[in-house]
Amino acid sequence: MAEIHGLGSSRKRVEDARFIRGQGNYIDDFKLPGMLHLDIVRSPYAHAKIKKIHTEKALATPGVLAVIDGPTLQKYNVHNMPTLMSDTQMVLPLDTVKYQYQEVAGVLATDRYTAADGVAAVEVDYEPLPVVVDPFKALLPGAQKVRDDKDSNHIWHWEWGDKEKTDKDFENAEVTVKENIYIPRIHVSSIETCGCVAKWDATNGHLTLWMTTQAPHAIRTVVALITGHLGLSEEKIRVISPDIGGGFGGKVPAYPGYVIAVAASIVTGAPVKWIEDRTDNLAADSFGRDYHITAELAGKKDGTLTALRFKTIADHGYTDAAANPSKFPAGLFHICTGSYDFKNAFIEVDGVYTNKPPGGIAYRCSFRVTEAVHAIERMADVYALKIGMDPAEFRMKNFIKPEAFPYTSALGWEYDSGNYPAALRKAMDMIGYEDLRKEQKEKLARGEFMGIGISSFTEIVGAGPSKHFDILGLKMFDSCEIRVHPTGKAIARFGTKSQGQGHETTYAQIIAEELGIPADHIKVEEGDTDTAPYGLGTYASRSTPVAGAAAAIASRKIREKAKKIAAHLLEANEDDLEWERGRFFVKGSPDQGKTIQEIAFAAYTNHPQGMEGGLEAVNYYDPPNLTYPFGSYICVVDIDRGTGQVKIRRFVAVDDCGVRINPMIVEGQIHGGLTMGFAPAMMEEISYDVDGNVHGTNFMDYLLPTAVETPKWELGETVTPSPHHPIGAKGVGESATVGAPAAIVNAVVDALSHLGVTTIDIPMTPRKVWELMHKHGATLEE
Ligand code: CDP
């Protein structure tokens, strides 16, 4: 008998059988007969008028078939597309480009190299225009307008909380602290760039689009809405997300390349492939972060926090293409009260246009949670430092108490469950906190700079209750459909789409737990809109909280029917049956029972008269609440006073994501997430010069950590189940990316606080750290 591999089993990832053999099927692996290739001409200017596009030389290149520009697409009214925030994004410009590397024209050729040659042969006459790069300058009266179709560069103002009560708390506070925190633009840098193959079948009027999307159903609906006037209706569009080499939020939006490829396939009748090169991907795809936060906390001298006030400028680039739920233009930034019991809070966020590519995607976080966590976890340390309290003691004092759950925060979120002191205590014990503090003092006396940083974060994942969450009007539920075959094996399909998270492994484990069918006998499929039930896709760690719950509920529906069949087979009353994993038996007579496999066979061969045949169920799960995973991370750093280099000596991460489906996969998610938190803390940043030229369009300039730089992670766990999730699970995919940066920054500031340093912006490059020490006369000179 095959092992069940239910909840808590570190089952090996089934998808790895193909990945480690090089048998994964990514977009660039698709080779269709007669397939053409698309490459894209991009703007060297951040703002310029296009005077003329010269295509003659390109068209004379053997193998180049066409050059597609904005006016060509305008004939079909597909030169613009809506963004996820209902703004407008150019597919190809009619006459003006708004950021460097913006798409200017598409070149269609018989192979990828020829398409690139064609791109090089297109000559464009530009007239450069003034550029706005700094969002603060973009808001000044008389600033150069980024968008001709808007009144100003101010996109929206959003505020949340009680301003009056918060202001009053600040007026009456014994202690207040204030810092400016910049969280720079970074890129998701997924191993696989974006791309698609569009195949138009003119005979049947069908479009098949294989694409690197995290949300295939939503894309299908959007394509139908944009191209409906061309006769492309939703049942004739099939979006397939094959294997995806990392998404991290960057593969939620639609990019112009997708639309141009579809248009090119419709016009030529041939399949068209578009795949970005690394520079296209790094320079022009949507970015994460870019939040300028002015953060303030108020409280008492004894360390009790009372109020929080954050004001933020969000740089969205030239269009608001953030991937946020419609109701929340700043995502879930209002989780920024974090793990602490504030009485009052008020936040304001202003979105701003600049001459940069669209930004604001949910880079490995639930919309804007990383920004929120970074700000509150940094400010907790700033406050503790000001009153001279140990940051661990300060956190323990202000944590929401374990008995206070479910807890409603000052900004209105209902936290489902948590035990913050337990997670922090565990992390402190693992790392030997008290001894480290002693060591730190001794080292400082010897002139050595060592720091200890804590981040006790709370996340918010699993969007969402559909009454609050939608994207472009599409309610954020998710789905699972299970069919049990006559021989007791099953197929399960989902509205989500894994990009490496291991859904094929873990979803099967949920069903295995609920039905007792071994996980190895359950095939999991995602990503094909012709076969999967409708869902909103995978991002913001929503798969487990939403589609995972759908898997449990659909399984339970199957169990209900299975019970009726078992009663029929056993000639017993349904009420007299009991369930143990994989089997119904008669109460008091454990020998008299039927396995789920026997019941499945009967569902097709011997079911009761009047009952529908078959054994299947579907569930569209609308979660009653979000889930609130949390954790406490502690980082220990040593700083080289000669070079400014920060060495992470130890990093302990205690995570709580409720019930763990597959502990090995959870640990893998945390390892990857911590590395993706370490990277922006220490090295990643996209910056621009005053002309809007982007720095960092390749991996020589845009630094990613390799195994050499990455610290050794030490993991621990606590388990506080979610009370409303059917299996008690919370999401985990993003926790570590969200929680890690503040722990590292807090450690560096802690090492330098005796100099009067209270903050440092990320990335903490050796130069930045050295300059900070140098300013205070604390560097070691030759
Ligand atoms: O939405 P996404 O898949 O990115 O994030 P997630 O729901 O947090 O899940 C990431 C991976 O961790 C999936 O394979 C989950 O099944 C697994 N997981 C788990 O085993 N136990 C949990 N409590 C949460 C996630």
Side-chain angles (χ1 to χ4, degrees):
M1 182 68 189
E3 211 180 310
I4 299 293
H5 285 304
L7 300 182
S9 160
S10 285
R11 179 186 185 216
K12 282 194 179 156
R13 292 175 18 123
V14 291
E15 37 280 90
D16 289 350
R18 63 179 187 280
F19 292 153
I20 60 174
R21 289 180 174 93
Q23 300 291 317
N25 202 22
Y26 300 93
I27 283 298
D28 210 26
D29 295 320
F30 282 79
K31 290 180 180 61
L32 304 186
M35 188 168 77
L36 303 178
H37 295 259
L38 172 72
D39 194 9
I40 292 176
V41 178
R42 292 175 183 273
S43 169
Y45 294 103
H47 192 193
K49 224 172 181 53
I50 299 171
K51 293 197 329 202
K52 189 160 174 47
I53 301 177
H54 301 276
T55 58
E56 307 77 15
K57 278 192 204 155
L59 290 171
T61 308
V64 171
L65 303 174
V67 178
I68 302 161
D69 59 10
T72 316
L73 294 185
Q74 191 185 25
K75 287 185 205 147
Y76 305 95
N77 198 21
V78 289
H79 57 299
N80 284 328
M81 60 181 182
T83 69
L84 293 173
M85 290 307 284
S86 300
D87 201 343
T88 308
Q89 180 167 5
M90 295 181 229
V91 175
L92 288 173
L94 297 179
D95 53 18
T96 313
V97 285
K98 299 289 183 184
Y99 62 90
Q100 194 186 39
Y101 283 95
Q102 186 183 335
E103 297 80 357
V104 171
V107 174
L108 205 57
T110 46
D111 67 88
R112 181 68 176 80
Y113 294 97
T114 309
D117 288 346
V119 164
V122 171
E123 285 168 8
V124 185
D125 295 339
Y126 295 97
E127 180 190 324
L129 296 169
V131 169
V132 188
V133 175
D134 180 335
F136 291 93
K137 288 189 181 148
L139 287 174
L140 294 175
Q144 165 73 30
K145 256 202 319 166
V146 173
R147 294 277 294 263
D148 310 319
D149 56 335
K150 306 282 176 185
D151 294 337
S152 75
N153 295 327
H154 185 228
I155 315 175
W156 41 256
H157 172 83
W158 185 75
E159 56 182 56
W160 205 261
D162 192 322
K163 182 170 169 24
E164 230 171 88
K165 284 187 182 160
T166 305
D167 287 349
K168 201 170 223 123
D169 280 352
F170 270 86
E171 277 163 31
N172 298 331
E174 291 171 6
V175 180
T176 60
V177 285
K178 182 174 182 175
E179 290 289 349
N180 291 323
I181 298 170
Y182 177 49
I183 304 177
R185 270 190 177 221
I186 51 171
H187 198 282
V188 304
S189 312
S190 47
I191 293 177
E192 183 199 28
T193 58
C194 290
C196 70
V197 175
K199 181 170 174 281
W200 170 247
D201 168 358
T203 314
N204 298 304
H206 277 213
L207 173 73
T208 307
L209 188 56
W210 292 268
M211 69 187 284
T212 50
T213 177
Q214 298 176 227
H217 283 97
I219 289 284
R220 185 188 68 186
T221 303
V222 171
V223 172
L225 292 174
I226 300 175
T227 58
H229 62 284
L230 301 174
L232 208 53
S233 58
E234 199 162 3
E235 82 287 7
K236 293 181 177 169
I237 303 167
R238 181 177 185 186
V239 177
I240 302 175
S241 242
D243 286 328
I244 295 194
F248 310 112
K251 288 174 180 167
V252 175
Y255 294 110
Y258 297 136
V259 183
I260 307 169
V262 170
S265 180
I266 292 175
V267 171
T268 60
V272 174
K273 181 191 276 185
W274 165 66
I275 185 102
E276 294 173 324
D277 64 22
R278 184 57 64 186
T279 295
D280 296 339
N281 180 262
L282 282 176
D285 282 4
S286 290
F287 297 94
R289 324 285 188 244
D290 218 344
Y291 257 31
H292 300 258
I293 305 169
T294 302
E296 294 176 275
L297 300 183
K300 300 183 187 163
K301 281 187 202 145
D302 70 356
T304 309
L305 288 169
T306 51
L308 171 150
R309 195 162 59 187
F310 285 1
K311 190 168 169 45
T312 295
I313 298 294
D315 187 341
H316 282 258
Y318 110 92
T319 184
D320 189 9
N324 289 323
S326 309
K327 193 168 158 184
F328 303 114
L332 309 189
F333 187 63
H334 44 318
I335 191 68
C336 60
T337 54
S339 309
Y340 311 106
D341 188 15
F342 286 95
K343 295 286 162 279
N344 291 303
F346 178 68
I347 60 166
E348 294 173 271
V349 185
D350 289 274
V352 184
Y353 290 127
T354 56
N355 287 112
K356 296 179 196 155
I361 51 150
Y363 173 10
R364 205 164 184 175
C365 79
S366 194
F367 311 109
R368 292 296 192 165
V369 179
T370 311
E371 291 86 333
V373 164
H374 194 80
I376 182 62
E377 284 307 308
R378 274 275 39 251
M379 292 309 288
D381 267 38
V382 172
Y383 196 110
L385 182 63
K386 180 152 184 182
I387 60 166
M389 195 180 229
D390 180 275
E393 189 189 340
F394 176 78
R395 283 176 170 80
M396 289 290 191
K397 186 175 182 73
N398 286 287
F399 277 150
I400 300 159
K401 304 273 173 293
E403 58 277 12
F405 292 89
Y407 166 88
T408 303
S409 75
L411 292 173
W413 294 114
E414 193 188 304
Y415 292 29
D416 58 349
S417 63
N419 188 343
Y420 305 150
L424 178 55
R425 191 62 253 172
K426 183 158 191 179
M428 289 167 76
D429 291 345
M430 281 176 69
I431 208 153
Y433 186 78
E434 284 78 10
D435 288 346
L436 284 168
R437 283 285 173 212
K438 278 189 213 132
E439 184 191 344
Q440 184 184 26
K441 273 208 190 93
E442 287 160 16
K443 285 207 153 164
L444 190 56
R446 294 200 299 267
E448 293 171 38
F449 293 178
M450 164 189 165
I452 306 160
I454 303 175
S455 168
S456 290
F457 66 92
T458 293
E459 253 223 295
I460 173 170
V461 302
S466 67
K467 60 178 184 286
H468 296 308
F469 292 91
D470 72 86
I471 284 194
L472 282 177
L474 299 168
K475 298 282 187 190
M476 294 187 76
F477 56 84
D478 228 292
S479 58
C480 168
E481 178 204 84
I482 306 171
R483 288 186 195 165
V484 184
H485 308 311
T487 54
K489 314 292 190 286
I491 181 164
R493 295 188 168 115
F494 293 82
T496 48
K497 175 63 206 169
S498 184
Q499 310 120 45
Q501 295 93 326
H503 292 176
E504 287 168 56
T505 308
T506 51
Y507 282 154
Q509 289 181 242
I510 299 174
I511 299 167
E513 179 73 32
E514 294 289 335
L515 290 179
I517 298 175
D520 288 348
H521 296 172
I522 302 165
K523 179 177 171 185
V524 170
E525 269 187 16
E526 296 178 296
D528 183 341
T529 56
D530 263 13
T531 55
Y534 203 101
L536 269 282
T538 290
Y539 39 87
S541 294
R542 64 186 299 277
S543 304
T544 302
V546 193
I553 301 291
S555 302
R556 289 172 196 179
K557 282 190 184 176
I558 287 180
R559 221 160 65 193
E560 273 170 37
K561 182 168 180 184
K563 191 175 191 185
K564 292 188 194 319
I565 298 172
H568 164 72
L569 296 177
L570 293 163
E571 295 179 4
N573 192 314
E574 252 187 81
D575 297 338
D576 294 335
L577 294 187
E578 240 177 79
W579 170 257
E580 63 182 357
R581 200 169 65 179
R583 181 171 177 269
F584 278 108
F585 64 92
V586 180
K587 274 181 209 160
S589 308
D591 304 347
Q592 282 188 54
K594 290 288 171 191
T595 64
I596 188 75
Q597 288 78 11
E598 289 168 320
I599 295 167
F601 198 66
Y604 297 86
T605 59
N606 181 20
H607 53 287
Q609 282 300 309
M611 178 189 273
E612 281 181 33
L615 195 56
E616 56 186 75
V618 59
N619 179 253
Y620 292 85
Y621 189 77
D622 186 1
N625 192 3
L626 293 123
T627 66
Y628 295 74
F630 60 93
S632 266
Y633 295 171
I634 306 185
C635 172
V636 184
V637 299
D638 295 299
I639 300 179
D640 186 322
R641 291 179 58 190
T643 63
Q645 191 158 32
V646 174
K647 185 169 178 347
I648 296 181
R649 193 202 312 172
R650 288 188 69 193
F651 195 107
V652 163
V654 173
D655 272 276
D656 191 319
C657 58
V659 172
R660 295 182 173 206
I661 302 161
N662 183 321
M664 181 188 66
I665 285 191
V666 168
E667 287 187 6
Q669 292 287 304
I670 295 169
H671 274 232
L674 289 171
T675 307
M676 278 181 131
F678 163 69
M682 302 307 292
M683 53 186 79
E684 286 183 340
E685 177 175 32
I686 301 262
S687 59
Y688 296 82
D689 70 12
V690 287
D691 296 319
N693 296 307
V694 59
H695 306 136
T697 58
N698 56 67
F699 286 150
M700 293 298 285
D701 298 328
Y702 187 76
L703 300 181
L704 294 184
T706 67
V708 176
E709 296 85 17
T710 303
K712 182 177 179 308
W713 311 117
E714 300 170 55
L715 306 191
E717 67 175 274
T718 56
V719 176
T720 313
S722 167
H724 63 79
H725 188 278
I727 59 165
K730 303 180 179 187
V732 76
E734 297 160 335
S735 290
T737 310
V738 167
I744 305 172
V745 181
N746 286 345
V748 172
V749 173
D750 184 57
L752 304 178
S753 60
H754 61 278
L755 303 173
V757 171
T758 55
T759 194
I760 176 168
D761 276 335
I762 56 172
M764 298 179 294
T765 56
R767 179 182 177 146
K768 211 187 267 180
V769 175
W770 186 88
E771 280 175 354
L772 197 56
M773 290 191 296
H774 192 66
K775 201 171 99 185
H776 292 92
T779 41
L780 286 182
E781 307 297 335
E782 280 286 307

